[in-house]
Amino acid sequence: MAGREIALIDLLDRLLNGGAVLTGDLVLSVADVDLVHINLRAVIRSITSDEPAPW
């Protein structure tokens, strides 16, 4: 598969069909004292009429 080119739209289509979970942490600190800690989580998935949104 080396040298195989994939269009960005094909990559996005594969990602949305299977879904993806993005996670991250954000910590704000001063002088090595943590002041704010935020956990970020996002689920990215396409919604179709066959599988409607859970809400």
Side-chain angles (χ1 to χ4, degrees):
M1 275 209 205
R4 181 179 173 199
E5 293 184 20
I6 299 174
L8 180 60
I9 192 69
D10 293 333
L11 182 62
L12 286 174
D13 185 47
R14 289 181 188 179
L15 177 71
L16 291 176
N17 280 336
V21 177
L22 304 175
T23 60
D25 292 318
L26 176 66
V27 178
L28 298 176
S29 60
V30 174
D32 290 332
V33 177
D34 293 345
L35 301 175
V36 178
H37 187 137
I38 301 173
N39 292 326
L40 305 170
R41 290 182 180 88
V43 176
I44 301 174
R45 184 171 177 224
S46 63
I47 304 295
T48 64
S49 59
D50 295 337
E51 295 180 41
W55 55 86

